[in-house]
Amino acid sequence: MEEEIEFRYDTQLLIDAKDIDEDELDEYIREHFVGDSLLVIADEDTAKLHFHTNEPWKILEYCATLGEIYDIVVEDMIRQSRGEKG
């Protein structure tokens, strides 16, 4: 039986921006976007974001307002669970 996946898209990216506060970014995403498995790690130049959501484009759009986004990966976990390319 196929595992039920509530949030389909594993969304990962890097943000090239100075002084992003990882706690503030984490809190903002939790309050404004629907998903789970959120991980935000930041240093003085870069933030890495990992988030499972059904609307990855909204996360990408928001993060682009914070700085240049790159190394963007959006994988379809339902396709992956069927053994297909994500």
Side-chain angles (χ1 to χ4, degrees), residues 45-61:
D45 298 319
T46 308
K48 178 177 176 81
L49 181 125
H50 172 269
F51 190 52
H52 295 172
T53 182
N54 290 327
E55 301 173 319
W57 56 90
K58 290 184 178 182
I59 293 295
L60 298 176
E61 184 176 58

Side-chain angles (χ1 to χ4, degrees), residues 13-20 25 44-47 59-72:
L13 59 97
L14 296 175
I15 307 167
D16 186 9
K18 298 274 187 226
D19 300 320
I20 289 179
L25 180 54
E44 60 276 350
D45 298 319
T46 308
I59 293 295
L60 298 176
E61 184 176 58
Y62 170 69
C63 289
T65 69
L66 302 176
E68 184 178 352
I69 59 174
Y70 64 103
D71 285 354
I72 300 163

Side-chain angles (χ1 to χ4, degrees), residues 25-41:
L25 180 54
D26 182 286
E27 183 178 324
Y28 185 88
I29 290 172
R30 289 181 193 280
E31 289 177 2
H32 293 89
F33 300 97
V34 178
D36 67 7
S37 299
L38 176 62
L39 177 63
V40 177
I41 300 171

